[in-house]
Amino acid sequence: MIKGIIFDLDGVLVSTDELHYQAWKRLADELGITAFNREDNKRQRGVSRMASLEVVLEKSDKKYTDEEKVELADRKNGYYVELLQNMDDSAVLKDVKPTLKALKEKGLLLAVGSASKNAPAILEKTGLLPLLDKVSCGLDTTKSKPDPEVFLVAAKKLNLDPSECIVVEDSQAGIDAAKAGGMKSLSVGPFYDSMGADYSAPLLCDEKDWDKIVS
Ligand code: B16
Ligand code: MG
């Protein structure tokens, strides 16, 4: 029986995916990597900052040292954090707040499982933090999705077995991570019907669908 729901953050609860793209694009342009595009950006969804940087650099002939890569990732994060400054609850995706409240009222435990080290700041700025029981994010983990670590930490923080949790995700890496962790999965977002999840829906499901999923 499902007792807990673990939500990915970017692309599931809030729309920060465009801000990530703009920050990576700014860095890519500075490095003269003009071929970096939205198609590449799809592969950056849900994966860590350093793994996302590799997606940008694979279009460059230049080889960067590990030290240089850390500087580049920090620089991109600076641009991203700049873009986050103006963020407020308008960044929360449609129906998210009423859905979280309704799920809470059904007695379900709710957590975030996000690769982002900026997750706590984003949750604070958007007013989502009080609606969640626990947060597991890039600050708690060393391995990037599709490794299940971030979701296993979330389940542990909720005091639940992985088999009692369902993960809601917008990225293939996240759906693969849920499966690797022994959890059920629901895929949402623009690529929802092609990720091989247990359940799929373009947006967070309505109440009727949730009743089926958690029963
Ligand atoms: P940061 P999620 C992920 O968040 C993003 O989808 C991904 O594009 C980003 O690289 C990753 O967080 C790390 O974010 O640079 O802020 O630590 O989808 O797992 O909520
Ligand atoms: Mg995501």
Side-chain angles (χ1 to χ4, degrees):
M1 189 185 161
I2 297 296
K3 295 184 181 165
I5 307 176
I6 304 172
F7 295 92
D8 172 54
L9 181 61
D10 295 330
V12 171
L13 300 182
V14 297
S15 58
T16 44
D17 33 346
E18 178 61 25
L19 304 185
H20 275 296
Y21 173 67
Q22 285 175 24
W24 283 120
K25 182 78 187 139
R26 184 171 165 189
L27 178 76
D29 288 348
E30 283 173 2
L31 299 177
I33 308 172
T34 49
F36 173 73
N37 59 31
R38 285 182 188 275
E39 201 51 39
D40 302 316
N41 176 243
K42 277 189 202 167
R43 284 187 291 127
Q44 295 177 309
R45 281 175 177 250
V47 302
S48 70
R49 199 178 300 168
M50 293 311 285
S52 293
L53 174 66
E54 294 299 339
V55 174
V56 176
L57 296 185
E58 72 191 27
K59 290 211 157 163
S60 166
D61 297 331
K62 188 172 169 203
K63 291 280 160 271
Y64 291 88
T65 65
D66 287 350
E67 234 169 56
E68 286 169 329
K69 286 181 183 177
V70 170
E71 186 277 317
L72 295 177
D74 283 351
R75 205 195 306 174
K76 178 269 174 179
N77 190 52
Y79 299 152
Y80 179 61
V81 169
E82 235 174 71
L83 294 170
L84 288 180
Q85 293 318 303
N86 299 323
M87 176 178 246
D88 56 23
D89 68 351
S90 65
V92 177
L93 290 166
K94 193 172 169 290
D95 292 341
V96 162
K97 285 191 178 175
T99 303
L100 294 182
K101 283 179 193 154
L103 292 169
K104 199 116 225 44
E105 276 162 23
K106 288 183 199 295
L108 289 151
L109 293 171
L110 309 182
V112 153
S114 166
S116 178
K117 293 183 173 158
N118 294 297
I122 294 169
L123 291 168
E124 183 81 60
K125 275 180 164 293
T126 53
L128 285 168
L129 202 53
L131 302 176
L132 296 156
D133 296 294
K134 298 287 173 196
V135 176
S136 166
C137 71
L139 299 170
D140 298 297
T141 57
T142 55
K143 294 176 217 134
S144 181
K145 300 170 191 174
D147 189 283
E149 186 183 18
V150 74
F151 297 141
L152 294 175
V153 170
K156 199 165 182 194
K157 287 189 180 191
L158 292 175
N159 270 322
L160 294 176
D161 189 79
S163 63
E164 296 174 310
C165 299
I166 180 163
V167 166
V168 188
E169 258 290 351
D170 70 322
S171 74
Q172 188 65 59
I175 295 296
D176 294 344
K179 287 185 180 173
M183 299 173 186
K184 287 259 180 311
S185 57
L186 162 63
S187 56
V188 296
F191 319 108
Y192 76 97
D193 56 354
S194 59
M195 289 193 261
D198 297 296
Y199 305 93
S200 57
L203 292 168
L204 284 187
C205 304
D206 69 23
E207 235 181 300
K208 200 162 65 319
D209 295 325
W210 276 113
D211 283 341
K212 258 184 261 157
I213 292 172
V214 300
S215 62

